[in-house]
Amino acid sequence: MSYDKLTLNNFMSGLSKRTPGEVEFHQAVYEVADSVIPFIQENPKYQDANILERMTEPDRTIIFRVCWEDDQGQIRINRGYRVQFNNSIGPYKGGLRFDPSVNLSILKFLGFEQTFKNSLTTLPMGSAKGGADFNPKGKSNREVMRFCQAFMMELSKHIGSHIDVPAGDIGVGAREISYMFGQYKRITNEFEGVLTGKGLEYGGSLIRTEATGYGCAYFMEEMLKAHNKQTKGLSATISGSGNVALYCAKKVIQLGGKVLTLSDSGGFIHFKEGLSLEELEEVIHFKTVERKRLSEYIDAQEKERSDLAYHDGKKPWKIKADLAYPCATQNEIGQGEANQLISNQYTALAEGANMPLNIMAINLLHEAHILYAPGKASNAGGVAMSGLEMTQNSMRISWDATELENRLKDIMQNIHTQCCKYGKQADGSINYVHGANIGGFIKVANAMLAYGVC
Ligand code: NDP
Ligand code: 2IT
């Protein structure tokens, strides 16, 4: 394709031909290309070097069989992946997702997003994503352990503390990271910072568990401050009740907001008076230690509670509030949900999940002047803290929680500043999508230019 004729449509049609059927990947690229193509056209050095085409092709994609034995002695087979997207500014870095929905398109969209997100953190991290179509739900600890060990048997050939450093994502938390780290150590006989999100006893960092959710709440606070508002006194709906959602809820409450909902794939709980920090701790225990569903949380209440309602099979956006934090999964908010947010007169939305809004929903929010922060900016706190875990491992030291939270806050503020710098529109408003995409693009693109043709 001639770059003289680089337009969004011909760029996307070339990409679709090269990667047929990868719909989530196309969606993620479209959103970035829409922002950066005009920027590239103004900066011909990127156009001449075909940087955007090179950025949309992963360095390599590794797909492998994972065989493990279940508790009944049956041999089970899953498919494992690692998409090593771009290591121009640091070792490959990004999470692992264990979920039956995992496929190449989803991991490519996540790996591609990670390129820009990791660049925005200002830390030296390239991009990757991986995982498997394994479902940890309903499996015993021993089954999860055997799967993780079998998965690492192959993955260990492709990662290393200076090569590729995976972490958690959906379905991969402290338990899974620990089984995988133990297995890596056993295979290689090396104790190195090859994964992040490790336990504190073996190289983990304080605040990593909380960082994505805290970071998302901090980003929202920055965005509100830039528009003469604040979290304090505002109400919020949150989707999800996993790692990101639970700690986003905690920080929103600490910042003075009122959290009205949490959800899972079964439905959502409406905390009509607002979730208290004490009750949130109970929910955290219920979800992370007991590994139960929100519907069971309602059933487990000792007495009938008029302050709680469970909405089976529903999403939280029909509840009227000021702030929305989608923290569950991709494409959870489409046109219909965006219209609900608009008719409920929401002020702002910050993505805790990766790509929870589809393009139509983003456009609708922009048209309605609802402040909107894309995940590659607002959920970058998790990987940023992973970057700080890598730093602590290299230096063989541990920073305390206050130091780490201050660094997290600084990083989120800095990402917000980058969004404002590159996303400022002619009318003075900030387009956070353009800001994050262009801000994330420049550093990686400049590194690629410096390396020449490769
Ligand atoms: P968890 O596995 O801890 O939690 C996922 C939550 O989302 C659960 O409550 C789950 O409900 C819900 N969920 C998952 N799939 C669906 C679905 N199809 N419909 C409705 N609800 C669903 O994952 P995380 O909290 O770590 O990840 C959540 C999101 O945040 C993902 O998009 C992830 O990529 C992103 N993210 C995660 C980071 C991290 O550090 N962990 C960093 C940055 C982004 P149920 O249990 O019923 O499935
Ligand atoms: O989407 C993400 O940024 C993550 N799942 C965290 C990645 C990481 O390496 O900490």
Side-chain angles (χ1 to χ4, degrees):
M1 182 176 73
S2 156
Y3 262 68
D4 293 342
K5 298 206 183 85
L6 179 65
T7 65
L8 186 56
N9 282 346
N10 64 22
F11 179 78
M12 286 309 300
S13 81
L15 183 93
S16 303
K17 275 194 200 122
R18 291 196 301 280
T19 56
E22 296 181 0
V23 288
E24 292 86 359
F25 179 53
H26 300 163
Q27 182 184 334
V29 173
Y30 180 94
E31 188 220 276
V32 169
D34 183 40
S35 302
V36 302
I37 285 178
F39 179 77
I40 290 175
Q41 283 168 334
E42 284 164 21
N43 295 275
K45 61 181 179 178
Y46 301 123
Q47 190 159 328
D48 296 343
N50 273 8
I51 290 290
L52 191 58
E53 280 196 2
R54 287 157 62 183
M55 265 191 198
T56 50
E57 192 64 39
D59 288 354
R60 70 189 61 75
T61 299
I62 302 146
I63 303 184
F64 50 95
R65 183 180 66 228
V66 185
C67 287
W68 57 282
E69 199 173 327
D70 69 18
D71 286 346
Q72 284 70 46
Q74 301 282 331
I75 294 168
R76 308 279 285 261
I77 295 106
N78 286 98
R79 187 172 297 161
Y81 303 81
R82 187 71 179 163
V83 181
Q84 295 181 330
F85 228 100
N86 192 310
N87 68 352
S88 299
I89 62 167
Y92 300 111
K93 182 84 196 87
L96 296 170
R97 179 177 288 191
F98 291 169
D99 191 83
S101 66
V102 161
N103 60 35
L104 188 58
S105 171
I106 289 177
L107 295 181
K108 281 179 71 177
F109 114 64
L110 289 162
F112 180 71
E113 289 272 300
Q114 205 82 46
T115 307
F116 300 83
K117 185 194 307 193
N118 293 5
S119 167
L120 283 168
T121 67
T122 70
L123 301 173
M125 297 182 292
S127 56
K129 202 80 185 192
D133 59 356
F134 170 75
N135 188 359
K137 282 187 201 138
K139 304 285 190 304
S140 69
N141 284 339
R142 284 295 165 89
E143 288 179 320
V144 172
M145 179 191 79
R146 286 194 291 273
F147 175 80
C148 289
Q149 291 178 340
F151 181 80
M152 186 49 87
M153 207 63 208
E154 179 62 30
L155 187 69
S156 63
K157 297 172 191 166
H158 310 286
I159 61 175
S161 56
H162 296 288
I163 302 170
D164 182 354
V165 183
D169 193 79
I170 291 178
V172 177
R175 174 183 63 172
E176 291 75 17
I177 292 289
S178 304
Y179 289 145
M180 288 191 273
F181 184 72
Q183 181 74 343
Y184 182 87
K185 191 168 64 56
R186 194 151 69 119
I187 295 166
T188 61
N189 203 26
E190 292 209 43
F191 192 106
E192 57 167 325
V194 69
L195 294 165
T196 59
K198 300 184 291 296
L200 294 178
E201 302 81 358
Y202 42 93
S205 173
L206 287 164
I207 310 287
R208 175 60 190 90
T209 308
E210 297 87 346
T212 312
Y214 279 18
C216 185
Y218 281 136
F219 192 92
M220 174 70 97
E221 181 73 348
E222 283 303 306
M223 185 163 72
L224 292 172
K225 265 190 353 211
H227 295 83
N228 302 317
K229 297 179 169 64
Q230 57 177 355
T231 310
K232 195 169 175 189
L234 298 185
S235 57
T237 46
I238 297 179
S239 66
S241 49
N243 174 261
V244 180
L246 293 170
Y247 291 99
C248 179
K250 187 163 181 178
K251 191 50 69 183
V252 170
I253 299 169
Q254 286 175 350
L255 288 170
K258 188 173 180 182
V259 172
L260 297 178
T261 65
L262 289 172
S263 76
D264 60 21
S265 51
F268 78 90
I269 299 185
H270 185 191
F271 300 90
K272 295 180 193 169
E273 310 299 329
L275 178 62
S276 68
L277 277 177
E278 296 69 38
E279 184 157 26
L280 177 62
E281 290 305 331
E282 276 176 42
V283 179
I284 291 177
H285 186 270
F286 195 81
K287 291 297 292 187
T288 58
V289 180
E290 298 186 36
R291 295 181 184 278
K292 290 191 175 153
R293 312 196 56 72
L294 289 180
S295 58
E296 294 171 286
Y297 181 77
I298 298 286
D299 294 343
Q301 299 304 300
E302 276 168 18
K303 55 181 173 54
E304 188 80 5
R305 287 179 53 178
S306 57
D307 61 327
L308 291 190
Y310 181 70
H311 297 252
D312 193 35
K314 295 281 188 300
K315 296 182 184 181
W317 320 118
K318 64 175 184 168
I319 301 297
K320 199 169 168 50
D322 303 303
L323 310 175
Y325 299 85
C327 296
T329 194
Q330 66 273 359
N331 291 329
E332 55 177 301
I333 298 186
Q335 210 173 348
E337 291 84 0
N339 280 325
Q340 274 182 331
L341 294 168
I342 293 165
S343 60
N344 280 327
Q345 297 181 314
Y346 275 70
T347 301
L349 178 149
E351 295 184 341
N354 286 307
M355 208 169 75
L357 270 69
N358 71 14
I359 302 223
M360 246 162 357
I362 297 172
N363 290 340
L364 284 170
L365 294 201
H366 276 154
E367 281 162 21
H369 302 292
I370 294 179
L371 297 174
Y372 165 69
K376 58 172 76 70
S378 49
N379 74 33
V383 74
M385 194 55 66
S386 280
L388 298 179
E389 182 172 332
M390 290 165 72
T391 308
Q392 294 170 84
N393 290 170
S394 300
M395 295 167 78
R396 301 198 188 286
I397 57 163
S398 302
W399 286 317
D400 66 30
T402 311
E403 161 96 33
L404 287 162
E405 202 171 329
N406 285 336
R407 283 178 185 264
L408 173 66
K409 227 185 288 179
D410 286 349
I411 289 172
M412 299 316 295
Q413 283 170 352
N414 184 297
I415 296 174
H416 183 268
T417 304
Q418 292 179 69
C419 289
C420 294
K421 179 172 174 191
Y422 297 107
K424 192 154 191 150
Q425 304 299 289
D427 65 359
S429 66
I430 309 298
N431 183 317
Y432 285 85
V433 177
H434 291 339
N437 288 335
I438 297 169
F441 172 82
I442 292 172
K443 186 172 161 193
V444 180
N446 287 347
M448 291 173 78
L449 281 183
Y451 297 139
V453 178
C454 56

